[in-house]
Amino acid sequence: VPGFTAESLTGLDAFSHAEVVCLFDRVRDDQITRDARRPRGNPDWPCVGIFAQRGKNRPNRLGVSVCRVLGVEGAALEVEGLDAIDGTPVLDIK
């Protein structure tokens, strides 16, 4: 993350997990969902509201993943289980 140094991650390697907050920046305004839909477009699954699913087309475009911390090297954090595509902006790590 630009503007942060290795000191920003000091001590994070002692944690088993971290929450990573991302911005789904590739979702266009016309793709936002505010109502119910079938998760992943699967017709066999019941309709559920956007807040009852993991869809990226959320009104606020925020994603949160609880990730296993694998290691910290300098200003780089390696995690497992991040639910985001490569290049997705990270807003915060908790």
Side-chain angles (χ1 to χ4, degrees), residues 12-13 15-18 67-73 76-81:
L12 192 55
D13 57 348
F15 288 80
S16 65
H17 291 76
C67 306
R68 187 164 74 98
V69 174
L70 300 178
V72 175
E73 186 172 329
L77 171 65
E78 184 178 0
V79 297
E80 179 180 72

Side-chain angles (χ1 to χ4, degrees), residues 1 18-27 55-56 58 60-67 79 81-94:
V1 177
E19 296 175 66
V20 179
V21 181
C22 299
L23 175 66
F24 295 138
D25 63 329
R26 298 176 195 183
V27 177
K56 67 184 180 307
R58 311 181 73 73
N60 61 18
R61 294 185 180 99
L62 293 178
V64 179
S65 294
V66 176
C67 306
V79 297
L82 180 61
D83 189 16
I85 59 175
D86 193 31
T88 298
V90 173
L91 301 177
D92 201 355
I93 301 169
K94 301 191 174 292

Side-chain angles (χ1 to χ4, degrees), residues 49-61:
I50 190 64
F51 297 120
Q53 56 184 284
R54 296 175 46 213
K56 67 184 180 307
N57 301 38
R58 311 181 73 73
N60 61 18
R61 294 185 180 99

Side-chain angles (χ1 to χ4, degrees), residues 27-50:
V27 177
R28 298 183 320 265
D29 286 341
D30 64 329
Q31 295 175 309
I32 298 297
T33 299
R34 290 182 169 79
D35 51 9
R37 67 181 183 112
R38 298 184 192 286
R40 299 184 186 185
N42 188 331
D44 296 328
W45 292 353
C47 284
V48 295
I50 190 64

